[in-house]
Every structure is written in C-alpha cells, then in structure tokens.
C-alpha cells in the first residue's frame, strides 16, 4: 500500500519539479524535502463515520485505528516527526522525493533547460540528522 502511494506521488512530484525547472530555466531552485504536519491529518477520535470508513479501508477495526491515532498524537508536533525526523523514520519518502527531483532535473536538462537545483533538508536539530539524510540523498543519486 505504501509503495503504491509513493509511486503515485513520484509521478506528481516529478511532473511538478520538471515544470518548475522549465519555468526557472537558469535560475537557482531550492526544493525543501517534505515536512508535512502529520498531526493535522489524523482523524478525530470523535468522528465515528470517518473512523469506521477508514478502518474498513485499512482492513482494521475502529478500536485498532483509535489506538494508532492516539499513539500518533504529539504534545508538540514541531518536536515530533517533522522535518528531517520524518525522513529518518520513513526513508522511503525521502528516496521518492529525491528520485523525483533528480529525474525531473535530467528530463528538463535533456530538453535544453539549465537546471540549478538544491535540496534543503528541513528542521535539522543535530548534525547526525543531517548526515543521515545527506547519505540517503547521495545513495539515491548514485543509482
């Protein structure tokens, strides 16, 4: 399920980046890696209709889903799975986005666009976090 979702997102991301590079021909473009406020996408524990539909879609029970939602809630979301910490815990997301950036760059360049792309790793708190993400980005680029 996650692989299918990331593959679909890759298609959209690559097309978006290619369009940006084409429009920005010759100008620097900094792309910030995904940093979604995941807590804003959690279903309300009081919305039984949404919980029931989502549980059915996921092949789960409402009680199991409620436990997952409770486990995902954070007191201070900025200290949780934001920024580079999302990429550290879910590297497939960063791999997909890096691949989209690189493939879009190559596609645009093959059309004569002067691509000047930079990748920004968001909300880094420790040098180890940056090193982790830089190594992941470089590993994707090496493929």
């Amino acid at each position: 399920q996650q692989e299918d979702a990331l593959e679909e997102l890759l298609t959209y991301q690559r097309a978006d980046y290619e369009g940006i590079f084409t429009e920005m021909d010759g100008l620097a473009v900094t792309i910030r890696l995904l940093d979604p406020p995941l807590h804003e996408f959690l279903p309300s524990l009081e919305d039984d209709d949404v919980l029931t539909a989502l549980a059915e879609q996921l092949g789960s029970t409402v009680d199991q889903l409620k436990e997952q939602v409770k486990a995902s809630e954070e007191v201070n979301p900025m200290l949780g799975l934001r920024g580079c910490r999302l990429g550290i815990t879910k590297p497939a997301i960063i791999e997909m986005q890096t691949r989209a950036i690189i493939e879009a760059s190559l596609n645009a360049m093959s059309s004569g666009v002067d691509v000047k792309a930079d990748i920004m790793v968001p909300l880094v708190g420790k040098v180890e976090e940056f090193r982790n993400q830089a190594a992941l980005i470089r590993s994707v680029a090496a493929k």
Side-chain angles (χ1 to χ4, degrees):
Q1 200 174 21
Q2 178 179 308
E3 281 182 35
D4 291 341
L6 288 174
E7 197 61 35
E8 184 177 351
L9 188 55
L10 170 68
T11 303
Y12 291 114
Q13 293 257 298
R14 184 175 44 232
D16 287 347
Y17 297 143
E18 198 169 333
I20 291 168
F21 295 144
T22 300
E23 289 299 316
M24 298 297 287
D25 189 4
L27 299 173
V29 174
T30 300
I31 298 171
R32 179 182 171 128
L33 294 176
L34 289 173
D35 175 28
L38 296 177
H39 65 285
E40 292 180 14
F41 297 99
L42 294 174
S44 168
L45 292 173
E46 281 127 42
D47 194 337
D48 290 329
D49 292 338
V50 170
L51 290 170
T52 301
L54 188 55
E56 286 176 17
Q57 197 175 24
L58 295 171
S60 182
T61 68
V62 171
D63 288 337
Q64 289 171 327
L65 184 57
K66 283 183 177 182
E67 288 304 313
Q68 286 180 306
V69 169
K70 287 177 188 173
S72 299
E73 290 176 342
E74 299 173 328
V75 176
N76 183 345
M78 292 304 286
L79 298 175
L81 286 180
R82 290 294 306 269
C84 66
R85 291 177 298 284
L86 175 65
I88 290 168
T89 59
K90 302 277 187 196
I93 294 172
I94 301 309
E95 290 170 351
M96 175 280 302
Q97 193 174 15
T98 300
R99 187 175 152 204
I101 293 165
I102 292 169
E103 289 176 5
S105 297
L106 294 172
N107 291 346
M109 288 166 52
S110 72
S111 299
V113 175
D114 181 14
V115 176
K116 297 180 191 239
D118 286 315
I119 297 175
M120 180 179 135
V121 178
L123 297 175
V124 174
K126 297 180 178 180
V127 71
E128 293 84 6
E129 293 173 336
F130 179 78
R131 287 183 182 140
N132 173 286
Q133 293 298 275
L136 181 60
I137 292 165
R138 289 186 180 107
S139 75
V140 172
K143 295 177 185 175

